[in-house]
Amino acid sequence: MSEDTLGSAPPPPPVTPPTPVTRKWHGPSLVWLVPIVALAVGVALLIRAVLSTGPQVTIDFHSANGLRPGKTEVRYKEVVVGRVEAVTLSEKRDHVQATVRLDRSVSNIAVEDTRFWVVRPRIDTAGVSGIETLFSGAYIGVDAGESTKQRRHFTGLENPPFVLRGEPGRGFVLRTDDLGSLDVGSPILYKRNRVGRVVGYNLDPLIDELSVQIFIEAPYDKLVNPQTRFWNASGVEVSLNSSGLRVDTQTLASVISGGISFERPQGTQGLPPASDGTRFNLFPDRKAALAPPDGPPLRVRMVFDQSVRGLDIDAPVDFLGIDIGVIKAVRLDYDGKRKRFPVEVEAEIYPTRLGAVRNSLRQEGDDETRRDTTLLQRLVQSGLRAQARTGNLLTGQMYVALDFPGKVSKAELDTSTAIPAIPTVPGTLADVQPQIAEIVAKVNKVPFDEIGRNLNETLSQANKAISQLRPEAQASLAEVRRTLQSVQETLQRADRSLFDPSAPIQRNAEQTLVDLQRAAQSLRVLTDYLQRHPESLLRGKPDDAKIPASPASPERR
Amino acid sequence: MSEASSLQTGSQMRLYGCPTCGRVSQLLHAVPDGTFLQCPRCATPLYHERPRSLQRTWAYLIAATVLYIPANLLPIMSTSNVFGETLHTILGGIEELRTGGDWLLAVIVFIASIAVPLLKIGALLVLVITAQRRSRWKQVERAQLYRMIEAVGHWSMLDVFVVVLLVGTIRFGPLGGVMPQPGLLAFGAVVVLTMLAAGSFDPRLIWPEEKDDTRHP
């Protein structure tokens, strides 16, 4: 508004003055309370925030896989105790460094022997672990240490630690040549109960041996004593050998993931528990584990002059039916002198398995191997021979039998080489086979075709002959019949003339017999008289005694 | 204005306009210290320069500045789901948006939540300091600045509204949800305090006059 317009305007009406009111408050404005309160609140908030944050630690990892700054949590026993603030590369760029802010409540967790690791979803033999991290992302797990020395820089583990601190139980080490399907987390079974787990394994390239670290949870760790036997119970065991097919299964979990079983041999239950970290051998199966301990093996050779198809590595060597060793190698050799290809079989036998035999037959000596060789020598002298036999006709599996086959030529244990060679005899089947082959060959030589043809001809000729003969034969048969009839008639006639009661022959015969009877009678009378009067032969017959006249009997002479 | 013979302002003419009922009254004689004037019609306090305006502005401004620190350092909200709780600070949220490739949103959030409060505090500081020194420097621009601050004031509550909305809508019970965190309180307080500061600042202080003997500040 310009002054002109104001000036031209009529003068304003008189205005009433405002009412003055006495002010009551003379000090500084109450509004200063606001920043004071704000300051108090702000400081309180900040102090609270600062108080709730604990120490900051750095952890080295090989890779930042799954680590997200500001997101990834640090969990101790599934309780969030911190958070990753930053992930950076180390100066040498060979690993990553995670900066972690721990909560105030666990500020005492950052000590010398605390361990950190990243929990990511893992699918391993112990099952699926960390599955929740599929959605929530990885987190850093903590195993609190017990040291009192504070520490701010850690090197993270690449895998979760196998044994958490304070977990009751004991760790042991198993030596093995073959891991089988074992892996970290595989169960340790006792009577098919899970009592522990495999916590790690490492291969020592220097001694070429696998060490498997296991952990047995309390209270089962007391079951392990120095005599306990561990064996690899990795799932299904299908063994097909000369003793047939055998399927052995463990619990389903160990079928899938493998596992280790252990057992205490009979009579060792009372032993005190083994100490932490004891080393044991891991046997391939239960049978091997519970077998009495074998001493040092003795290597022997056997040279066979036959095919050893079916004789596999690890096939048994048996001595009179007792399993005393295994086949270790089968090699083909060439014998230039005889132009043959002998098969050289190398085996390991365990003389200890001979038991009492060994003790009674062995001679004294210091060197174990030498003594066993001498023992073998004596056995060979008394007729021991190796023989490759078929153990299973279905599968053709073979084994080597050490036996005393009666008729053998004399032989000696060949100790010219480092490995003694046991003399062999051909296998039973190997004996039979050529004979059968010979028979078959002979049978093959028989000219069946020709014989058949000849036979056929003969038969046809016979046929012809018979057909020609037939009318003559009929005629002659009729003749024969007639002849027979006449013979019959003749006989009838003879009957009548000879045996009929009225036949003259009969009558004559009767007459003759009557005469004979009479003659016999008069002879008897004569002999009777001679007995009574033998002198009559000399003097003759005395005169008849004078007797009163009596009617004389008619003379008989 | 030494030669302000022409009366241009109410204080020079000792006229008081009542902001409530529009009644104009004129002070005819000096009043003692420690009293203030009321509209004779509706008893609304009357003054030419708001009493203690600078004091109050200072107080609010200091409070706002103090709280600005925890507002930005502390998380303003926490989102929780089955797998745990995540805390979000304003800067963290902007960083997440930026790394997520949402440049535009990041810029918007940055402007609304960080730049504007900061600029408000800065501008108010400028206004208060110049007013205190009764400076005559760039008065028109300062007046514009003041109006801008007034206009922009309540938009800074954007974040507070967003969080409050989220807290109200995202409720999945144990499965998840959003909870306000202490930073949000501080942030809201900063916004409110800057508005109060702007409100308590008397724009007439931008136009200082020669001291007249009628009043003592």
Side-chain angles (χ1 to χ4, degrees):
Chain A
M1 282 191 200
S2 66
E3 290 166 31
D4 303 335
T5 52
L6 269 175
S8 61
V15 286
T16 48
T19 327
V21 177
T22 313
R23 188 179 276 141
K24 300 171 192 73
W25 177 254
H26 295 285
S29 171
L30 283 173
V31 82
W32 287 105
L33 285 176
V34 174
I36 289 167
V37 168
L39 197 66
V41 168
V43 166
L45 284 175
L46 283 177
I47 282 174
R48 217 181 68 175
V50 166
L51 280 184
S52 66
T53 56
Q56 194 183 49
V57 296
T58 52
I59 310 168
D60 291 346
F61 289 111
H62 273 297
S63 90
N65 183 5
L67 298 179
R68 295 168 63 198
K71 275 270 189 293
T72 307
E73 294 161 343
V74 179
R75 296 190 197 171
Y76 177 58
K77 293 183 175 172
E78 296 305 310
V79 177
V80 179
V81 296
R83 202 171 281 276
V84 174
E85 286 188 340
V87 179
T88 51
L89 271 177
S90 68
E91 282 174 20
K92 288 187 190 164
R93 290 184 302 225
D94 55 352
H95 59 261
V96 295
Q97 219 171 53
T99 309
V100 170
R101 169 74 62 184
L102 294 171
D103 282 0
R104 188 104 202 129
S105 58
V106 292
S107 55
N108 56 357
I109 212 172
V111 291
E112 280 285 340
D113 50 353
T114 297
R115 295 176 294 176
F116 294 90
W117 65 95
V118 181
V119 179
R120 304 185 177 100
R122 292 167 60 89
I123 298 174
D124 57 22
T125 53
V128 180
S129 65
I131 192 84
E132 73 276 6
T133 60
L134 280 177
F135 307 102
S136 67
Y139 62 87
I140 295 181
V142 189
D143 182 27
E146 290 152 350
S147 158
T148 49
K149 273 186 77 179
Q150 292 277 318
R151 194 166 160 186
R152 289 286 171 269
H153 186 84
F154 296 91
T155 304
L157 307 172
E158 285 316 298
N159 293 310
F162 313 122
V163 183
L164 293 180
R165 229 170 237 94
E167 198 176 1
R170 255 181 263 230
F172 302 103
V173 183
L174 306 180
R175 280 187 303 257
T176 178
D177 293 331
D178 179 13
L179 203 57
S181 56
L182 291 177
D183 200 349
V184 171
S186 291
I188 312 289
L189 304 165
Y190 180 72
K191 298 187 176 174
R192 305 211 175 165
N193 282 307
R194 192 191 173 112
V195 296
R197 60 186 183 273
V198 173
V199 293
Y201 53 86
N202 53 339
L203 180 63
D204 188 345
L206 290 177
I207 52 172
D208 190 18
E209 191 178 73
L210 267 166
S211 297
V212 180
Q213 289 93 38
I214 62 169
F215 180 78
I216 312 268
E217 293 151 17
Y220 309 107
D221 55 342
K222 307 239 181 337
L223 296 170
V224 181
N225 61 35
Q227 284 299 314
T228 300
R229 304 295 173 78
F230 291 85
W231 69 90
N232 197 333
S234 291
V236 186
E237 215 170 276
V238 180
S239 49
L240 183 65
N241 51 27
S242 55
S243 48
L245 176 75
R246 184 189 156 95
V247 181
D248 203 353
T249 63
Q250 281 287 337
T251 60
L252 191 59
S254 60
V255 165
I256 293 166
S257 66
I260 292 174
S261 287
F262 67 91
E263 206 168 297
R264 297 173 295 176
Q266 282 294 317
T268 62
Q269 272 87 340
L271 291 176
S275 57
D276 214 4
T278 311
R279 291 177 76 87
F280 293 94
N281 278 326
L282 181 64
F283 291 93
D285 53 42
R286 180 169 186 270
K287 203 174 114 201
L290 293 177
D294 294 322
L298 179 68
R299 260 191 123 79
V300 293
R301 282 185 310 141
M302 288 157 279
V303 181
F304 291 103
D305 261 342
Q306 64 182 78
S307 157
V308 290
R309 179 178 178 78
L311 189 68
D312 300 330
I313 308 291
D314 287 344
V317 175
D318 93 17
F319 174 69
L320 302 176
I322 295 162
D323 193 349
I324 61 158
V326 286
I327 303 297
K328 284 288 172 191
V330 178
R331 280 189 301 269
L332 200 58
D333 209 351
Y334 177 64
D335 185 347
K337 276 193 297 220
R338 293 186 304 146
K339 299 268 191 296
R340 299 287 297 266
F341 292 94
V343 180
E344 189 173 277
V345 175
E346 218 171 276
E348 276 185 355
I349 58 176
Y350 298 95
T352 36
R353 290 192 191 173
L354 292 169
V357 177
R358 176 173 182 243
N359 299 336
S360 59
L361 283 178
R362 229 164 41 151
Q363 290 165 331
E364 288 314 306
D366 321 326
D367 185 8
E368 193 81 20
T369 319
R370 266 204 71 78
R371 286 191 297 176
D372 285 327
T373 314
T374 322
L375 165 71
L376 202 59
Q377 210 158 8
R378 292 179 60 187
L379 285 172
V380 170
Q381 276 164 5
S382 48
L384 181 87
R385 297 288 181 275
Q387 189 176 39
R389 291 183 186 165
T390 303
N392 189 325
L393 281 170
L394 276 180
T395 58
Q397 299 271 4
M398 275 185 143
Y399 67 101
V400 170
L402 298 179
D403 209 339
F404 297 96
K407 301 172 295 183
V408 285
S409 48
K410 273 193 79 71
E412 284 286 336
L413 185 75
D414 176 10
T415 50
S416 57
T417 51
I419 303 168
I422 300 175
T424 60
V425 290
T428 43
L429 208 63
D431 260 354
V432 171
Q433 267 173 335
Q435 292 177 355
I436 292 176
E438 233 168 276
I439 293 169
V440 169
K442 280 177 183 162
V443 169
N444 267 346
K445 280 183 192 151
V446 175
F448 286 109
D449 287 359
E450 222 170 299
I451 290 173
R453 271 200 306 276
N454 290 353
L455 202 61
N456 253 354
E457 261 169 54
T458 313
L459 285 174
S460 62
Q461 278 171 354
N463 253 353
K464 271 183 214 155
I466 288 168
S467 59
Q468 280 171 352
L469 279 173
R470 197 177 284 160
E472 288 171 35
Q474 279 173 340
S476 49
L477 274 176
E479 289 278 320
V480 168
R481 213 175 290 141
R482 271 198 299 276
T483 312
L484 283 175
Q485 266 173 346
S486 60
V487 167
Q488 233 171 348
E489 277 166 30
T490 312
L491 282 174
Q492 279 169 353
R493 265 200 303 273
D495 252 7
R496 272 198 305 271
S497 58
L498 286 174
F499 305 111
D500 203 67
S502 60
I505 286 184
Q506 292 265 347
R507 279 199 318 270
N508 290 350
E510 260 173 70
Q511 196 66 49
T512 313
L513 283 171
V514 171
D515 283 353
L516 269 174
Q517 239 172 340
R518 280 187 188 155
Q521 256 174 344
S522 53
L523 256 178
R524 206 181 304 141
V525 171
L526 175 65
T527 52
D528 281 352
Y529 183 80
L530 277 177
Q531 269 184 329
R532 278 192 311 268
H533 307 283
E535 71 280 6
S536 63
L537 279 175
L538 298 173
R539 296 176 192 170
K541 207 170 170 191
D543 298 336
D544 292 336
K546 302 206 177 34
I547 49 170
S550 62
S553 56
E555 282 272 4
R556 274 211 185 163
R557 273 186 252 168
Chain B
M1 291 180 208
S2 50
E3 31 68 63
S5 51
S6 52
L7 298 177
Q8 287 178 332
T9 62
S11 65
Q12 284 164 345
M13 293 164 68
R14 296 188 182 162
L15 286 172
Y16 293 86
C18 174
T20 312
C21 65
R23 171 91 182 248
V24 178
S25 45
Q26 188 170 29
L27 189 66
L28 297 176
H29 43 82
V31 288
D33 263 355
T35 57
F36 67 95
L37 307 173
Q38 277 187 343
C39 173
R41 188 158 65 170
C42 66
T44 309
L46 300 176
Y47 36 77
H48 285 136
E49 288 184 5
R50 240 178 270 166
R52 299 179 178 172
S53 157
L54 273 180
Q55 263 195 54
R56 289 163 62 186
T57 312
W58 268 121
Y60 289 131
L61 206 50
I62 288 168
T65 315
V66 163
L67 284 178
Y68 187 77
I69 298 159
N72 277 298
L73 289 183
L74 297 180
I76 56 163
M77 70 170 181
S78 68
T79 53
S80 61
N81 53 24
V82 184
F83 308 109
E85 197 182 44
T86 321
L87 298 168
H88 303 272
T89 59
I90 296 177
L91 275 170
I94 292 170
E95 179 65 15
E96 262 178 62
L97 286 171
R98 192 183 66 77
T99 51
D102 241 329
W103 273 95
L104 193 65
L105 261 180
V107 166
I108 289 173
V109 175
F110 178 79
I111 288 173
S113 313
I114 302 224
V116 168
L118 255 183
L119 284 174
K120 262 168 71 175
I121 291 172
L124 279 168
L125 266 177
V126 167
L127 288 180
V128 174
I129 289 166
T130 51
Q132 202 153 27
R133 296 177 55 197
R134 311 184 75 80
S135 152
R136 302 250 168 101
W137 167 77
K138 290 197 173 176
Q139 287 167 305
V140 180
E141 285 87 347
R142 274 157 58 201
Q144 278 173 351
L145 186 64
Y146 171 76
R147 281 199 295 280
M148 215 166 71
I149 290 170
E150 280 277 79
V152 128
H154 28 263
W155 291 108
S156 305
M157 287 299 257
L158 197 66
D159 317 56
V160 182
F161 288 137
V162 165
V163 175
V164 168
L165 275 173
L166 286 177
V167 170
T169 52
I170 302 183
R171 282 184 180 280
F172 298 120
L175 291 181
V178 178
M179 288 301 290
Q181 291 289 312
L184 187 70
L185 181 71
F187 187 83
V190 169
V191 175
V192 171
L193 286 169
T194 48
M195 284 168 76
L196 283 173
S200 59
F201 180 74
D202 189 346
R204 278 175 277 196
L205 289 169
I206 300 169
W207 311 97
E209 292 166 18
E210 293 304 310
K211 277 302 226 187
D212 56 340
D213 42 357
T214 55
R215 284 196 66 91
H216 303 280

